[in-house]
């Protein structure tokens, strides 16, 4: 029975994630040896290839927005860009944090939008650049300013070796927003936050606790479960195996070998983007693959992905807790959820659970999978800008 369940889960895993990652996870699920080390070698040396499995077509649901996308331009709207670094002090670490500011030259005061990248093994501020430029350059009653920041351990920020988890990332978010010497030059209650994937859930969790008090939140393709837990669960046996995998990925020699095999190679990145990050494989250009591959070669690149893959960055552990994050925001601020038409099946189900949920002011659906803000930036920018206009358009 356990083997049958693991096989069923592996079908979806191969549909959603790079094959090598699923081979390792499947082996962990169906081969419980007495020695964890022997189990790891078995995973690598005796892979399982389900060549006969027919993959299912992603579930498609009619969009719940009335916007006509045919008139939306896909061109890159540029804006004056300022890049800088901010030092985040966390325990004994001084971590250089990379961020960008997109502004439109204007004598009028501006309202700040903080854009948090989707958390993944190749997370980067690049995914929000076109959206930021689009919104900032629009003419309206409000002069918008966009700040995009790379998470510690990801993108162009420093990547020290430490134990990354959801609490650490939440602490960073709170400090970045509230620090008196931080880049956010605006009262906290005037800040609007856009977050993708896990970032959206971490923002909602911090807001639920009252640690941040944004004016509004937009959750774009929100997720809460890492690649392995969403497929193989979080029982005590799997948690033990995830812990062993995490430790192995962080180890000096074998960690680099495994990281290079699973994440840090162009074929794996291309496969990942074509299978579940983007909806249309033709949109995955060589430039995107090369950019993300370069990120995986930065010093300390493997430490945070080791936590992400195994669920340490998950802000909650169940759908019920996920829904509670948003329910707690009811009446406190408007919340937009942007779902996507072609997300992986299990991620799609979690997004759909927010449709009509308590605390969700508006729910829309756009083309895309797990990174719509990069694959279809003009469409996402249109939805986000309409949300801003509906609730803050009269603000000067």
């Amino acid at each position: 029975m356990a083997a049958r369940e693991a096989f069923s889960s592996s079908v979806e895993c191969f549909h959603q994630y790079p094959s090598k990652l699923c081979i390792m996870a499947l082996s962990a699920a169906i081969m419980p040896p007495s020695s964890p080390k022997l189990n790891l070698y078995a995973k690598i040396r005796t892979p399982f290839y389900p060549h006969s499995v027919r993959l299912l077509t992603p579930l498609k649901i009619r969009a719940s927005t009335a916007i006509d996308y045919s008139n939306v331009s896909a061109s890159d709207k540029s804006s004056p860009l300022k890049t800088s670094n901010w030092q985040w002090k966390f325990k004994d670490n001084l971590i250089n944090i990379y961020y960008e500011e997109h502004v439109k030259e204007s004598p009028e005061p501006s309202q700040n939008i903080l854009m948090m990248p989707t958390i993944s093994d190749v997370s980067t501020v690049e995914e929000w650049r076109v959206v930021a430029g689009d919104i900032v350059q629009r003419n309206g009653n409000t002069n918008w300013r966009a700040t995009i920041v790379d998470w510690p351990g990801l993108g162009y920020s420093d990547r020290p070796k430490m134990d990354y988890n959801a609490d650490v990332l939440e602490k960073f978010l709170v400090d970045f927003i509230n620090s008196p010497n931080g880049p956010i030059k605006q009262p906290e209650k005037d800040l609007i936050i856009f977050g993708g994937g896990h970032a959206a859930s971490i923002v909602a969790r911090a807001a639920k606790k009252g640690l941040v008090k944004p004016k509004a939140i937009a959750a774009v393709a929100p997720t809460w479960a890492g690649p392995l837990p969403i497929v193989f669960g979080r029982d005590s046996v799997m948690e033990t195996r995830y812990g062993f995998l995490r430790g192995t990925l962080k180890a000096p020699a074998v960690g680099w070998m495994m990281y290079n095999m699973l994440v840090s190679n162009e074929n794996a990145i291309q496969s990942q983007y074509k299978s579940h990050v983007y909806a249309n494989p033709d949109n995955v250009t060589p430039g995107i693959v090369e950019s993300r591959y370069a990120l995986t070669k930065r010093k300390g690149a493997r430490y945070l992905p080791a936590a992400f893959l195994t669920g340490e960055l998950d802000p909650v552990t169940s759908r019920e807790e996920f829904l509670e994050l948003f329910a707690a925001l009811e009446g406190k601020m408007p919340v937009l959820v942007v779902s996507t038409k072609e997300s992986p099946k299990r991620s799609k189900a979690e997004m759909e659970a927010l449709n009509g949920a308590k605390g969700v002011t508006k729910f829309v659906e756009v083309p895309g999978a797990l990174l719509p803000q990069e694959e279809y930036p003009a469409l996402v920018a249109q939805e986000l800008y309409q949300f801003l206009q509906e609730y803050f358009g009269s603000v000067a």
Side-chain angles (χ1 to χ4, degrees), residues 63-74 338-339 341 364-367 376-384 386:
S64 56
T65 174
I67 289 180
D68 179 7
Y69 292 123
S70 62
N71 297 321
V72 178
S73 170
V338 180
S339 181
K341 294 181 180 181
V364 300
E365 188 178 69
V366 298
Y376 298 104
L379 307 185
V380 173
Q382 180 73 2
E383 290 289 5
L384 294 172
Q386 178 166 309

Side-chain angles (χ1 to χ4, degrees), residues 339-391:
S339 181
T340 55
K341 294 181 180 181
E342 295 180 296
S343 289
K345 183 178 178 182
R346 298 193 187 195
S347 298
K348 173 75 170 179
E350 302 309 311
M351 296 179 204
E352 284 295 313
L354 291 171
N355 193 356
K358 184 178 180 181
V360 176
T361 313
K362 184 178 182 182
F363 183 97
V364 300
E365 188 178 69
V366 298
L370 295 182
L371 210 58
Q373 64 269 33
E374 183 174 71
E375 185 179 9
Y376 298 104
L379 307 185
V380 173
Q382 180 73 2
E383 290 289 5
L384 294 172
Y385 188 73
Q386 178 166 309
F387 173 67
L388 294 173
Q389 288 296 99
E390 288 174 359
Y391 290 93

Side-chain angles (χ1 to χ4, degrees), residues 261-331:
M261 181 183 73
L262 297 178
V263 177
S264 185
N265 68 82
E266 290 173 309
N267 288 336
I269 293 170
Q270 179 174 270
S271 173
Q272 180 181 349
Y273 269 68
K274 287 187 174 183
S275 68
H276 67 280
V277 177
Y278 275 24
N280 184 350
D282 293 338
N283 291 335
V284 182
T285 66
I288 290 173
V289 175
E290 290 169 10
S291 165
R292 305 308 142 86
Y293 174 69
L295 291 174
T296 68
K297 295 303 181 184
R298 292 176 65 86
K299 181 180 178 181
R302 71 189 189 276
Y303 300 133
L304 189 142
F308 171 67
L309 292 172
T310 55
E312 280 294 279
L313 305 186
D314 296 352
V316 294
T317 58
S318 69
R319 179 182 293 181
E320 290 70 28
E321 292 179 3
F322 182 55
L323 294 176
E324 286 173 6
L325 294 181
F326 292 86
L329 306 181
E330 178 83 12

Side-chain angles (χ1 to χ4, degrees), residues 159-211:
R159 304 169 177 224
K161 183 178 182 179
M162 60 184 195
D163 293 327
Y164 293 94
N165 57 40
D167 292 337
V168 170
L169 297 192
E170 180 185 86
K171 171 66 173 168
F172 163 73
L173 175 73
V174 172
D175 289 351
F176 188 80
I177 293 173
N178 296 335
S179 175
N181 69 338
I184 304 298
K185 310 284 195 303
Q186 196 163 27
E188 182 186 16
K189 292 184 179 179
D190 288 336
L191 180 66
I192 295 167
I193 308 178
F194 297 165
H198 272 45
S201 300
I202 289 174
V203 169
R205 191 175 83 158
K208 177 188 176 185
K209 295 177 181 179
L211 300 176

